Amino acid sequence: NAGVTQTPKFQVLKTGQSMTLQCAQDMNHEYMSWYRQDPGMGLRLIHYSVGAGITDQGEVPNGYNVSRSTTEDFPLRLLSAAPSQTSVYFCASSYLPGDSGNTIYFGEGSWLTVV
Amino acid sequence: GENVEQHPSTLSVQEGDSAVIKCTYSDSASNYFPWYKQELGKRPQLIIDIRSNVGEKKDQRIAVTLNKTAKHFSLHITETQPEDSAVYFCAASIGNQFYFGTGTSLTVIP
């Protein structure tokens, strides 16, 4: 099992550009999510999905879109990048929705800089 | 939504001493409380978790306690070692969402 795979690991964008962070998991997890990590802010939920075709917003969804066409993939799209979106992004997955007490597995992270 | 506060933000201990990190949460409906360890440049990894129907859980040198009435939970690391140096995050779960604390940077001084 590769676990949770994120690409790219590092990216520099110009303000206004769009891009997609890719996330894939091979554990047949229903639950997938995206977090951003900023210094002193912990991990904040952007969007999540409990299955193919189902997505919902987290704490900080503005400026991001997601889709879940397959169980394995959960891409995060930045529509028009802003410097405030400079952050480290983590994709995560687990077997069942979060409050069932199942371990969340994180990807390795994507370091994004918007200039 | 849920609000998770974590203290202290930084903690330095001598090797062999104990370390305690505390978190409080605001929503009494939260029912699952994991702790994650994140080494520099790496992904967060689960080290221990506790459900709301349990008051304490231990795993070797690591323990977590939960006080539902006071809405706080704590991570205890005994006999600390240099490899325990990392950032630790607590989290509380409601429904399909996890809410994370802001992290504690633990340094174990040899």
Side-chain angles (χ1 to χ4, degrees), chain B residues 99-110:
Chain B
Y99 295 86
F100 284 84
T102 51
T104 296
S105 178
L106 173 64
T107 301
V108 179
I109 304 166

Side-chain angles (χ1 to χ4, degrees), chain A residues 4 31 35 37 40-43 45 48 50 57 59 90 97-104 106-108 111, chain B residues 2 31-32 36 38 41-46 49 51 87 89 93-103:
Chain A
V4 181
Y31 182 79
Y35 293 86
Q37 184 175 31
M41 301 288 286
L43 291 153
L45 182 65
Y48 67 96
V50 298
Q57 296 181 349
E59 291 179 76
F90 287 97
D99 71 344
S100 301
N102 282 301
T103 302
I104 280 189
F106 285 90
E108 292 187 330
W111 275 255
Chain B
E2 172 67 283
N31 58 5
Y32 173 62
Y36 286 84
Q38 186 178 29
K42 300 289 183 64
R43 72 187 85 188
Q45 293 195 306
L46 181 76
D49 56 11
R51 299 192 187 196
V87 177
F89 291 96
S93 176
I94 298 180
N96 295 325
Q97 297 197 27
F98 281 81
Y99 295 86
F100 284 84
T102 51

